[in-house]
Amino acid sequence: MCRGRRRAALPRRVRHPARRGRRRARPEYADTLGLALQLTNILRDVREDAGNGRTYLPTDDLAKFGCTGGFHRAIPPSGADFTGLVHFEVRRARGLFAEGYRLLPMLDRRSGACVAAMAGIYRRLLDRIERDPMAVLRGRVSLPGREKAYVAVRGLSGLDARHISRKAVRRRV
């Protein structure tokens, strides 16, 4: 379960990869990618966490969207802009993913592929949550096995890491 900001959400070699001849991975990118994964996880588990008496979304955000009453039912609290809250948090997570993905070109191929696979799965979860924000109140949002396998294969094959590397190079030029 995600509780606050923790680096331990990512494997040690992702946080501090050792390699020769490559730029050293910046720990803040690993932290940022970890936060993107955690925020996605928090959004996915809103109802389950509320059922256990926990809410991990920032209190200020909950208040801003009128959602301080909690998420104990499949419908949001009366007068709450739950969809607005979810879209706000999705935008935040997408920004964190964009920044955190800068880590991938700094990792060795094997580590980059593993990180890209996991991050790809979570980004797809985020897409589903964005399309249907109320789904997180009905139950845990997940990817079908086929889609998860597709995303994992893309990540493990290095397709996503190479694509992100090319985008990073284009931005610098």
Side-chain angles (χ1 to χ4, degrees), residues 27-61:
E28 64 268 21
Y29 292 150
D31 286 347
T32 302
L33 188 56
L35 289 172
L37 297 170
Q38 285 182 335
L39 183 52
T40 303
N41 201 43
I42 288 166
L43 285 170
R44 181 194 66 189
D45 296 340
V46 160
R47 176 103 186 263
E48 181 181 333
D49 290 338
N52 291 317
R54 298 183 303 256
T55 300
Y56 295 110
L57 292 171
T59 307
D60 292 346
D61 295 352

Side-chain angles (χ1 to χ4, degrees), residues 43-44 47 74 82 128-129 131-141:
L43 285 170
R44 181 194 66 189
R47 176 103 186 263
F82 182 75
R128 283 179 173 258
I129 291 167
R131 281 193 305 270
D132 183 10
M134 302 303 280
V136 298
L137 293 180
R138 292 190 300 269
R140 181 177 259 206
V141 176

Side-chain angles (χ1 to χ4, degrees), residues 69-81:
F71 310 107
H72 301 286
R73 298 178 307 184
I75 57 170
S78 177
D81 181 10

